[in-house]
Amino acid sequence: MPRRQKSKLRASEKRRQARGEAQGESVQATAAVEEESVSSTSSQSEDTTQSLPQAGSSSTSQGRRRAQATTITSTAVSCTRSDEASNSQDEDRANPCEGAYYTESAGEDPLTRKPSLLEQFILYKYKMKQPIMKEDMLKIVGPNYQDRFPEILKKASERIEIVFAVDLKEIDSTKQSYDLISKLKLPNNGRVRAGRGLPKTGLLMNILGMIFMKGNCAAEEDIWKFLGKMRVYPGRKHFIYGEPRKLITKDLVRLQYLEYRQVANSDPPRYEFLWGPKAQAETSKMKVLDFLAKVNDSIPSAFPSYYEEALQDQEEKVQTRAMVRASTIAKVIVPSRAMPQNIFPPLVKSVFCNPSDKKM
């Protein structure tokens, strides 16, 4: 064999080995991030459960709900860093995370595994801003389980909802395409910042819930203590939320979803959080309580003290809207009066009146 051809073969072999090592490192990195994401999601779910008073729901059902939450987004979230790091690289190059969406664990119950696979697929499509097509989801479910597709899709969407506060909705019935819609009108459909990424709505809904449960005003130290149980720390970049302090005290305040103010007469200065005008307009205490209750596999009325306050808030908003509507109608309707005699202007009179009538 010519020397030149041998050198080409050796170079090709070295490239293959390098690719193999890189893929191995990528798999290890993915596994490490998956472990972090799973524990973070678990902490988020468990901490929300601890925030609400126990009311009727069994520890078994809550444990099952938390266990479901721990499986959410493990692969989709783990790809966030990988995709961000490779944005400058060739888009045609294979992404090591993509293959994970089609891997299954042997021996696992199919009706447990299939919703998990579908979650990962849906979140990946959302993060990449790609359409979520029903035909693609059916491929993920597989031909043997297509008759159970509605049930599997329902489980997957519910488990995404309790972490990210987004709803899976059909946006085009003709094409049978879906999208994840944020429960609040945050920019970029919940991503807050421009570009790709996962929704920040779940974090905001948890903060709004914490403020609600702290008497509608929560000290900053209480908020960070709460978020610390979700492994969200000020000054430390989070793989979903970026730098949390900037997101919470700057971005969400600028967008008017949170109010961040200094506690009166505090020395040294301390700060507290309240609901901002946008949060007041786009959601309610009942909706936030409903979100927290779903995390606990329960219903809002199972938490009586918060439920009563949420009901009162709901009634007050209904009354306010009714008063505004009545005021608007009153301004539009003109009170009925006697018809004035000189109703026609001179020009109109000249059209309808016969000049010969004046001479007579």
CSV table of all heavy atoms in Angstrom, one decimal, residues 137-194:
chain,number,residue,atom,x,y,z
A,137,MET,N,-45.1,12.8,17.6
A,137,MET,CA,-45.3,12.2,19.0
A,137,MET,C,-45.8,10.8,18.9
A,137,MET,O,-45.4,10.0,19.8
A,137,MET,CB,-46.3,13.1,19.7
A,137,MET,CG,-45.8,14.5,20.1
A,137,MET,SD,-46.9,15.4,21.2
A,137,MET,CE,-48.2,15.9,20.2
A,138,LEU,N,-46.6,10.4,17.9
A,138,LEU,CA,-47.0,9.1,17.7
A,138,LEU,C,-45.8,8.1,17.5
A,138,LEU,O,-45.8,7.0,17.9
A,138,LEU,CB,-48.0,9.0,16.6
A,138,LEU,CG,-49.4,9.5,16.9
A,138,LEU,CD1,-50.2,9.6,15.6
A,138,LEU,CD2,-50.1,8.7,17.9
A,139,LYS,N,-44.8,8.7,16.8
A,139,LYS,CA,-43.6,7.9,16.5
A,139,LYS,C,-42.9,7.6,17.8
A,139,LYS,O,-42.3,6.5,18.0
A,139,LYS,CB,-42.7,8.6,15.5
A,139,LYS,CG,-43.2,8.6,14.1
A,139,LYS,CD,-42.3,9.5,13.2
A,139,LYS,CE,-42.9,9.6,11.8
A,139,LYS,NZ,-42.1,10.5,11.0
A,140,ILE,N,-42.8,8.6,18.7
A,140,ILE,CA,-42.2,8.4,20.0
A,140,ILE,C,-42.9,7.4,20.8
A,140,ILE,O,-42.3,6.5,21.5
A,140,ILE,CB,-42.1,9.7,20.8
A,140,ILE,CG1,-41.3,10.8,20.0
A,140,ILE,CG2,-41.6,9.5,22.2
A,140,ILE,CD1,-39.9,10.4,19.8
A,141,VAL,N,-44.2,7.4,20.8
A,141,VAL,CA,-45.1,6.4,21.6
A,141,VAL,C,-44.9,5.0,21.0
A,141,VAL,O,-44.8,4.1,21.7
A,141,VAL,CB,-46.5,6.9,21.5
A,141,VAL,CG1,-47.4,5.8,22.1
A,141,VAL,CG2,-46.7,8.2,22.3
A,142,GLY,N,-44.8,4.9,19.7
A,142,GLY,CA,-44.6,3.6,19.0
A,142,GLY,C,-45.9,3.0,18.6
A,142,GLY,O,-47.0,3.3,19.2
A,143,PRO,N,-45.9,2.2,17.6
A,143,PRO,CA,-47.2,1.6,17.0
A,143,PRO,C,-48.0,0.8,18.0
A,143,PRO,O,-49.2,0.7,17.9
A,143,PRO,CB,-46.7,0.8,15.8
A,143,PRO,CG,-45.2,0.5,16.1
A,143,PRO,CD,-44.7,1.7,16.9
A,144,ASN,N,-47.3,0.1,19.0
A,144,ASN,CA,-48.0,-0.8,19.9
A,144,ASN,C,-48.8,0.0,21.0
A,144,ASN,O,-49.6,-0.6,21.6
A,144,ASN,CB,-47.0,-1.7,20.6
A,144,ASN,CG,-46.3,-2.6,19.7
A,144,ASN,OD1,-46.9,-3.0,18.6
A,144,ASN,ND2,-45.1,-3.1,20.0
A,145,TYR,N,-48.5,1.3,21.1
A,145,TYR,CA,-49.2,2.1,22.1
A,145,TYR,C,-50.0,3.3,21.6
A,145,TYR,O,-50.4,4.1,22.4
A,145,TYR,CB,-48.2,2.6,23.2
A,145,TYR,CG,-47.5,1.4,23.9
A,145,TYR,CD1,-46.3,0.9,23.5
A,145,TYR,CD2,-48.2,0.9,25.0
A,145,TYR,CE1,-45.7,-0.1,24.1
A,145,TYR,CE2,-47.6,-0.2,25.7
A,145,TYR,CZ,-46.3,-0.7,25.3
A,145,TYR,OH,-45.8,-1.8,25.9
A,146,GLN,N,-50.2,3.3,20.3
A,146,GLN,CA,-50.9,4.4,19.7
A,146,GLN,C,-52.4,4.5,20.2
A,146,GLN,O,-53.0,5.6,20.2
A,146,GLN,CB,-50.8,4.4,18.2
A,146,GLN,CG,-49.4,4.7,17.7
A,146,GLN,CD,-49.4,4.9,16.2
A,146,GLN,OE1,-50.4,4.9,15.5
A,146,GLN,NE2,-48.1,5.1,15.7
A,147,ASP,N,-53.0,3.4,20.5
A,147,ASP,CA,-54.3,3.5,21.1
A,147,ASP,C,-54.4,4.1,22.5
A,147,ASP,O,-55.4,4.5,22.9
A,147,ASP,CB,-55.0,2.0,21.1
A,147,ASP,CG,-54.2,1.1,21.9
A,147,ASP,OD1,-52.9,1.2,22.0
A,147,ASP,OD2,-54.8,0.2,22.5
A,148,ARG,N,-53.2,4.1,23.1
A,148,ARG,CA,-53.2,4.7,24.5
A,148,ARG,C,-52.6,6.2,24.4
A,148,ARG,O,-52.3,6.7,25.4
A,148,ARG,CB,-52.3,3.9,25.4
A,148,ARG,CG,-52.6,2.4,25.5
A,148,ARG,CD,-53.9,2.2,26.2
A,148,ARG,NE,-53.9,2.5,27.5
A,148,ARG,CZ,-53.5,1.7,28.5
A,148,ARG,NH1,-53.1,0.5,28.2
A,148,ARG,NH2,-53.6,2.1,29.8
A,149,PHE,N,-52.5,6.7,23.2
A,149,PHE,CA,-51.8,8.0,23.0
A,149,PHE,C,-52.5,9.1,23.8
A,149,PHE,O,-51.8,9.9,24.5
A,149,PHE,CB,-51.8,8.4,21.5
A,149,PHE,CG,-51.2,9.7,21.3
A,149,PHE,CD1,-49.8,10.0,21.4
A,149,PHE,CD2,-52.0,10.8,20.9
A,149,PHE,CE1,-49.3,11.3,21.2
A,149,PHE,CE2,-51.5,12.1,20.7
A,149,PHE,CZ,-50.2,12.3,20.8
A,150,PRO,N,-53.8,9.2,23.8
A,150,PRO,CA,-54.4,10.3,24.6
A,150,PRO,C,-54.0,10.2,26.1
A,150,PRO,O,-53.7,11.3,26.7
A,150,PRO,CB,-55.9,10.1,24.4
A,150,PRO,CG,-56.0,9.4,23.1
A,150,PRO,CD,-54.8,8.5,23.0
A,151,GLU,N,-54.0,9.0,26.6
A,151,GLU,CA,-53.7,8.9,28.0
A,151,GLU,C,-52.2,9.2,28.3
A,151,GLU,O,-51.9,9.9,29.3
A,151,GLU,CB,-53.9,7.4,28.4
A,151,GLU,CG,-53.5,7.0,29.9
A,151,GLU,CD,-53.6,5.6,30.1
A,151,GLU,OE1,-54.2,4.8,29.3
A,151,GLU,OE2,-53.2,5.1,31.2
A,152,ILE,N,-51.3,8.8,27.4
A,152,ILE,CA,-49.9,9.0,27.5
A,152,ILE,C,-49.6,10.5,27.4
A,152,ILE,O,-48.8,11.1,28.2
A,152,ILE,CB,-49.1,8.2,26.5
A,152,ILE,CG1,-49.2,6.7,26.8
A,152,ILE,CG2,-47.6,8.7,26.5
A,152,ILE,CD1,-48.7,5.8,25.7
A,153,LEU,N,-50.3,11.2,26.4
A,153,LEU,CA,-50.1,12.6,26.2
A,153,LEU,C,-50.6,13.4,27.4
A,153,LEU,O,-49.9,14.4,27.8
A,153,LEU,CB,-50.8,13.1,24.9
A,153,LEU,CG,-50.7,14.5,24.6
A,153,LEU,CD1,-49.2,14.9,24.3
A,153,LEU,CD2,-51.6,14.9,23.4
A,154,LYS,N,-51.7,13.0,28.0
A,154,LYS,CA,-52.2,13.7,29.2
A,154,LYS,C,-51.3,13.6,30.3
A,154,LYS,O,-51.0,14.6,31.0
A,154,LYS,CB,-53.6,13.1,29.6
A,154,LYS,CG,-54.3,13.8,30.7
A,154,LYS,CD,-55.7,13.1,30.9
A,154,LYS,CE,-56.5,13.9,32.0
A,154,LYS,NZ,-55.9,13.6,33.3
A,155,LYS,N,-50.7,12.4,30.6
A,155,LYS,CA,-49.7,12.3,31.7
A,155,LYS,C,-48.5,13.1,31.4
A,155,LYS,O,-48.0,13.8,32.3
A,155,LYS,CB,-49.3,10.8,31.8
A,155,LYS,CG,-50.4,9.9,32.5
A,155,LYS,CD,-49.8,8.5,32.6
A,155,LYS,CE,-50.8,7.6,33.3
A,155,LYS,NZ,-50.3,6.2,33.5
A,156,ALA,N,-48.0,13.1,30.2
A,156,ALA,CA,-46.8,13.9,29.9
A,156,ALA,C,-47.0,15.4,30.1
A,156,ALA,O,-46.2,16.1,30.7
A,156,ALA,CB,-46.4,13.6,28.4
A,157,SER,N,-48.2,15.9,29.6
A,157,SER,CA,-48.5,17.3,29.7
A,157,SER,C,-48.7,17.8,31.1
A,157,SER,O,-48.3,18.9,31.5
A,157,SER,CB,-49.7,17.7,28.8
A,157,SER,OG,-50.8,17.0,29.2
A,158,GLU,N,-49.3,16.9,31.9
A,158,GLU,CA,-49.5,17.2,33.3
A,158,GLU,C,-48.2,17.3,34.1
A,158,GLU,O,-48.0,18.2,34.9
A,158,GLU,CB,-50.4,16.2,34.0
A,158,GLU,CG,-51.9,16.3,33.6
A,158,GLU,CD,-52.7,15.2,34.2
A,158,GLU,OE1,-52.1,14.2,34.8
A,158,GLU,OE2,-54.0,15.3,34.1
A,159,ARG,N,-47.3,16.5,33.8
A,159,ARG,CA,-46.0,16.4,34.5
A,159,ARG,C,-45.2,17.6,34.1
A,159,ARG,O,-44.4,18.1,34.8
A,159,ARG,CB,-45.4,15.1,34.3
A,159,ARG,CG,-46.0,14.0,35.1
A,159,ARG,CD,-45.9,12.6,34.5
A,159,ARG,NE,-44.5,12.2,34.4
A,159,ARG,CZ,-44.2,10.9,34.1
A,159,ARG,NH1,-45.1,10.0,33.9
A,159,ARG,NH2,-42.9,10.6,34.0
A,160,ILE,N,-45.3,18.0,32.8
A,160,ILE,CA,-44.6,19.3,32.4
A,160,ILE,C,-45.2,20.5,33.0
A,160,ILE,O,-44.5,21.4,33.5
A,160,ILE,CB,-44.6,19.4,30.8
A,160,ILE,CG1,-43.8,18.3,30.2
A,160,ILE,CG2,-44.1,20.8,30.4
A,160,ILE,CD1,-44.0,18.2,28.7
A,161,GLU,N,-46.5,20.5,33.2
A,161,GLU,CA,-47.2,21.6,33.7
A,161,GLU,C,-46.8,21.9,35.2
A,161,GLU,O,-46.6,23.1,35.6
A,161,GLU,CB,-48.7,21.4,33.7
A,161,GLU,CG,-49.5,22.6,34.3
A,161,GLU,CD,-51.0,22.2,34.4
A,161,GLU,OE1,-51.4,21.1,34.1
A,161,GLU,OE2,-51.8,23.1,34.8
A,162,ILE,N,-46.7,20.9,36.0
A,162,ILE,CA,-46.4,21.1,37.4
A,162,ILE,C,-45.0,21.6,37.7
A,162,ILE,O,-44.7,22.0,38.8
A,162,ILE,CB,-46.7,19.8,38.3
A,162,ILE,CG1,-45.7,18.7,37.9
A,162,ILE,CG2,-48.1,19.4,38.1
A,162,ILE,CD1,-45.8,17.5,38.8
A,163,VAL,N,-44.1,21.5,36.7
A,163,VAL,CA,-42.7,22.0,36.9
A,163,VAL,C,-42.6,23.4,36.2
A,163,VAL,O,-42.0,24.3,36.8
A,163,VAL,CB,-41.7,21.0,36.3
A,163,VAL,CG1,-40.3,21.6,36.4
A,163,VAL,CG2,-41.7,19.7,37.2
A,164,PHE,N,-43.1,23.5,35.0
A,164,PHE,CA,-42.8,24.7,34.2
A,164,PHE,C,-44.0,25.7,34.0
A,164,PHE,O,-43.8,26.7,33.5
A,164,PHE,CB,-42.3,24.3,32.8
A,164,PHE,CG,-41.0,23.6,32.7
A,164,PHE,CD1,-40.9,22.2,32.6
A,164,PHE,CD2,-39.8,24.3,32.9
A,164,PHE,CE1,-39.6,21.6,32.5
A,164,PHE,CE2,-38.6,23.7,32.9
A,164,PHE,CZ,-38.5,22.4,32.7
A,165,ALA,N,-45.1,25.3,34.5
A,165,ALA,CA,-46.3,26.2,34.5
A,165,ALA,C,-46.6,26.6,33.0
A,165,ALA,O,-46.9,27.7,32.7
A,165,ALA,CB,-46.1,27.4,35.3
A,166,VAL,N,-46.6,25.6,32.2
A,166,VAL,CA,-47.0,25.8,30.8
A,166,VAL,C,-48.1,24.7,30.4
A,166,VAL,O,-48.1,23.6,31.0
A,166,VAL,CB,-45.8,25.7,29.8
A,166,VAL,CG1,-44.9,26.9,30.0
A,166,VAL,CG2,-45.0,24.4,30.0
A,167,ASP,N,-48.9,25.0,29.5
A,167,ASP,CA,-50.0,24.1,29.1
A,167,ASP,C,-49.8,23.7,27.6
A,167,ASP,O,-49.4,24.5,26.8
A,167,ASP,CB,-51.4,24.8,29.2
A,167,ASP,CG,-51.7,25.2,30.6
A,167,ASP,OD1,-51.6,24.4,31.5
A,167,ASP,OD2,-52.1,26.4,30.8
A,168,LEU,N,-49.9,22.4,27.4
A,168,LEU,CA,-49.8,21.9,26.0
A,168,LEU,C,-51.1,22.1,25.3
A,168,LEU,O,-52.1,21.6,25.7
A,168,LEU,CB,-49.4,20.4,26.0
A,168,LEU,CG,-49.2,19.8,24.6
A,168,LEU,CD1,-48.0,20.3,24.0
A,168,LEU,CD2,-49.1,18.2,24.8
A,169,LYS,N,-51.1,22.9,24.2
A,169,LYS,CA,-52.3,23.2,23.5
A,169,LYS,C,-52.2,22.9,22.0
A,169,LYS,O,-51.1,23.2,21.4
A,169,LYS,CB,-52.7,24.6,23.7
A,169,LYS,CG,-53.1,24.9,25.2
A,169,LYS,CD,-53.6,26.4,25.4
A,169,LYS,CE,-54.1,26.6,26.8
A,169,LYS,NZ,-54.5,28.0,27.0
A,170,GLU,N,-53.2,22.5,21.4
A,170,GLU,CA,-53.2,22.3,19.9
A,170,GLU,C,-53.4,23.7,19.3
A,170,GLU,O,-54.4,24.4,19.6
A,170,GLU,CB,-54.4,21.4,19.5
A,170,GLU,CG,-54.3,21.0,18.0
A,170,GLU,CD,-55.4,20.0,17.6
A,170,GLU,OE1,-56.5,20.2,18.1
A,170,GLU,OE2,-55.1,19.1,16.8
A,171,ILE,N,-52.5,24.1,18.5
A,171,ILE,CA,-52.5,25.4,17.9
A,171,ILE,C,-53.0,25.4,16.4
A,171,ILE,O,-53.3,26.5,15.8
A,171,ILE,CB,-51.1,26.1,18.0
A,171,ILE,CG1,-50.0,25.3,17.3
A,171,ILE,CG2,-50.8,26.4,19.4
A,171,ILE,CD1,-48.7,26.0,17.2
A,172,ASP,N,-52.9,24.2,15.8
A,172,ASP,CA,-53.4,24.1,14.4
A,172,ASP,C,-54.0,22.7,14.2
A,172,ASP,O,-53.3,21.7,14.2
A,172,ASP,CB,-52.2,24.3,13.4
A,172,ASP,CG,-52.7,24.4,12.0
A,172,ASP,OD1,-53.7,23.8,11.6
A,172,ASP,OD2,-52.0,25.1,11.2
A,173,SER,N,-55.4,22.7,14.2
A,173,SER,CA,-56.1,21.4,14.1
A,173,SER,C,-55.9,20.7,12.8
A,173,SER,O,-56.0,19.5,12.7
A,173,SER,CB,-57.6,21.6,14.4
A,173,SER,OG,-58.1,22.5,13.5
A,174,THR,N,-55.7,21.5,11.7
A,174,THR,CA,-55.5,21.0,10.4
A,174,THR,C,-54.1,20.2,10.3
A,174,THR,O,-54.1,19.1,9.9
A,174,THR,CB,-55.5,22.1,9.3
A,174,THR,OG1,-56.7,22.8,9.5
A,174,THR,CG2,-55.4,21.5,7.9
A,175,LYS,N,-53.1,20.9,10.8
A,175,LYS,CA,-51.8,20.2,10.8
A,175,LYS,C,-51.5,19.4,12.0
A,175,LYS,O,-50.5,18.6,12.0
A,175,LYS,CB,-50.7,21.3,10.7
A,175,LYS,CG,-50.7,22.1,9.4
A,175,LYS,CD,-49.6,23.2,9.4
A,175,LYS,CE,-49.6,24.0,8.1
A,175,LYS,NZ,-48.5,25.0,8.2
A,176,GLN,N,-52.4,19.4,13.0
A,176,GLN,CA,-52.3,18.7,14.2
A,176,GLN,C,-50.9,19.0,14.9
A,176,GLN,O,-50.2,18.1,15.3
A,176,GLN,CB,-52.4,17.2,14.0
A,176,GLN,CG,-53.9,16.8,13.6
A,176,GLN,CD,-54.0,15.3,13.5
A,176,GLN,OE1,-53.2,14.6,12.9
A,176,GLN,NE2,-55.1,14.8,14.2
A,177,SER,N,-50.7,20.3,15.0
A,177,SER,CA,-49.5,20.8,15.7
A,177,SER,C,-49.8,21.4,17.0
A,177,SER,O,-50.9,22.0,17.2
A,177,SER,CB,-48.7,21.8,14.8
A,177,SER,OG,-49.5,23.0,14.7
A,178,TYR,N,-48.9,21.2,18.0
A,178,TYR,CA,-49.1,21.7,19.4
A,178,TYR,C,-48.0,22.6,19.8
A,178,TYR,O,-46.9,22.7,19.1
A,178,TYR,CB,-49.1,20.5,20.3
A,178,TYR,CG,-50.2,19.5,20.1
A,178,TYR,CD1,-50.3,18.7,19.0
A,178,TYR,CD2,-51.3,19.5,21.0
A,178,TYR,CE1,-51.3,17.8,18.9
A,178,TYR,CE2,-52.4,18.6,20.9
A,178,TYR,CZ,-52.4,17.8,19.8
A,178,TYR,OH,-53.4,16.9,19.7
A,179,ASP,N,-48.2,23.3,20.9
A,179,ASP,CA,-47.1,24.2,21.5
A,179,ASP,C,-47.4,24.2,23.0
A,179,ASP,O,-48.5,24.1,23.4
A,179,ASP,CB,-47.1,25.6,20.9
A,179,ASP,CG,-45.8,26.3,21.1
A,179,ASP,OD1,-44.9,25.7,21.7
A,179,ASP,OD2,-45.7,27.5,20.7
A,180,LEU,N,-46.3,24.5,23.7
A,180,LEU,CA,-46.4,24.8,25.1
A,180,LEU,C,-46.7,26.3,25.3
A,180,LEU,O,-45.9,27.1,24.9
A,180,LEU,CB,-45.2,24.4,25.9
A,180,LEU,CG,-44.9,22.9,25.9
A,180,LEU,CD1,-43.5,22.6,26.5
A,180,LEU,CD2,-45.9,22.1,26.6
A,181,ILE,N,-47.8,26.6,26.0
A,181,ILE,CA,-48.2,28.0,26.2
A,181,ILE,C,-48.0,28.4,27.7
A,181,ILE,O,-48.6,27.7,28.6
A,181,ILE,CB,-49.7,28.2,25.8
A,181,ILE,CG1,-49.9,27.7,24.3
A,181,ILE,CG2,-50.1,29.7,25.9
A,181,ILE,CD1,-49.0,28.4,23.3
A,182,SER,N,-47.3,29.4,27.9
A,182,SER,CA,-47.0,29.9,29.3
A,182,SER,C,-48.3,30.4,29.9
A,182,SER,O,-49.2,31.0,29.3
A,182,SER,CB,-46.0,31.1,29.2
A,182,SER,OG,-45.9,31.6,30.5
A,183,LYS,N,-48.5,30.0,31.2
A,183,LYS,CA,-49.6,30.5,32.0
A,183,LYS,C,-49.7,32.0,32.2
A,183,LYS,O,-50.7,32.6,32.5
A,183,LYS,CB,-49.7,29.8,33.3
A,183,LYS,CG,-50.0,28.3,33.3
A,183,LYS,CD,-50.1,27.6,34.6
A,183,LYS,CE,-50.5,26.2,34.5
A,183,LYS,NZ,-51.8,25.9,34.1
A,184,LEU,N,-48.5,32.6,32.1
A,184,LEU,CA,-48.4,34.1,32.2
A,184,LEU,C,-47.8,34.6,30.8
A,184,LEU,O,-47.1,33.8,30.2
A,184,LEU,CB,-47.5,34.5,33.3
A,184,LEU,CG,-48.1,34.1,34.7
A,184,LEU,CD1,-47.0,34.4,35.8
A,184,LEU,CD2,-49.3,34.9,35.1
A,185,LYS,N,-48.1,35.8,30.5
A,185,LYS,CA,-47.7,36.3,29.2
A,185,LYS,C,-46.2,36.9,29.2
A,185,LYS,O,-46.0,38.0,28.8
A,185,LYS,CB,-48.7,37.4,28.8
A,185,LYS,CG,-50.1,36.9,28.6
A,185,LYS,CD,-51.0,38.1,28.2
A,185,LYS,CE,-52.5,37.6,28.1
A,185,LYS,NZ,-53.4,38.7,27.8
A,186,LEU,N,-45.3,36.0,29.7
A,186,LEU,CA,-43.9,36.4,29.8
A,186,LEU,C,-43.4,36.5,28.3
A,186,LEU,O,-43.9,35.8,27.4
A,186,LEU,CB,-43.1,35.4,30.6
A,186,LEU,CG,-43.4,35.4,32.1
A,186,LEU,CD1,-42.7,34.1,32.7
A,186,LEU,CD2,-42.8,36.6,32.7
A,187,PRO,N,-42.4,37.4,28.1
A,187,PRO,CA,-41.9,37.5,26.7
A,187,PRO,C,-41.3,36.1,26.2
A,187,PRO,O,-40.9,35.3,27.0
A,187,PRO,CB,-40.7,38.5,26.9
A,187,PRO,CG,-41.1,39.3,28.1
A,187,PRO,CD,-41.8,38.3,29.0
A,188,ASN,N,-41.4,36.0,24.9
A,188,ASN,CA,-40.9,34.8,24.2
A,188,ASN,C,-41.5,33.5,24.7
A,188,ASN,O,-40.9,32.5,24.9
A,188,ASN,CB,-39.3,34.7,24.4
A,188,ASN,CG,-38.7,33.9,23.3
A,188,ASN,OD1,-39.3,33.4,22.3
A,188,ASN,ND2,-37.4,33.6,23.5
A,189,ASN,N,-42.9,33.6,25.0
A,189,ASN,CA,-43.7,32.5,25.4
A,189,ASN,C,-43.1,31.8,26.7
A,189,ASN,O,-43.0,30.6,26.7
A,189,ASN,CB,-43.8,31.5,24.3
A,189,ASN,CG,-44.9,30.4,24.6
A,189,ASN,OD1,-45.8,30.6,25.4
A,189,ASN,ND2,-44.8,29.3,23.9
A,190,GLY,N,-42.7,32.6,27.6
A,190,GLY,CA,-42.2,32.1,28.9
A,190,GLY,C,-40.7,32.0,29.1
A,190,GLY,O,-40.2,31.8,30.2
A,191,ARG,N,-40.0,32.2,28.0
A,191,ARG,CA,-38.5,32.1,28.1
A,191,ARG,C,-37.9,33.4,28.6
A,191,ARG,O,-36.8,33.4,29.0
A,191,ARG,CB,-37.9,31.9,26.7
A,191,ARG,CG,-38.4,30.5,26.0
A,191,ARG,CD,-37.9,30.4,24.6
A,191,ARG,NE,-38.3,29.2,23.9
A,191,ARG,CZ,-39.4,29.1,23.3
A,191,ARG,NH1,-40.3,30.2,23.2
A,191,ARG,NH2,-39.8,28.0,22.7
A,192,VAL,N,-38.7,34.5,28.6
A,192,VAL,CA,-38.3,35.8,29.1
A,192,VAL,C,-37.3,36.5,28.2
A,192,VAL,O,-37.5,37.6,27.7
A,192,VAL,CB,-37.7,35.8,30.6
A,192,VAL,CG1,-37.3,37.2,31.0
A,192,VAL,CG2,-38.8,35.3,31.5
A,193,ARG,N,-36.1,35.9,28.0
A,193,ARG,CA,-35.1,36.5,27.1
A,193,ARG,C,-35.2,35.9,25.7
A,193,ARG,O,-35.8,34.9,25.5
A,193,ARG,CB,-33.7,36.2,27.7
A,193,ARG,CG,-33.6,36.7,29.1
A,193,ARG,CD,-32.2,36.5,29.7
A,193,ARG,NE,-32.1,36.9,31.1
A,193,ARG,CZ,-32.0,36.1,32.1
A,193,ARG,NH1,-32.0,34.8,31.9
A,193,ARG,NH2,-31.9,36.5,33.3
A,194,ALA,N,-34.6,36.6,24.8
A,194,ALA,CA,-34.7,36.2,23.4
A,194,ALA,C,-33.9,34.9,23.1
A,194,ALA,O,-33.0,34.6,23.9
A,194,ALA,CB,-34.1,37.3,22.5
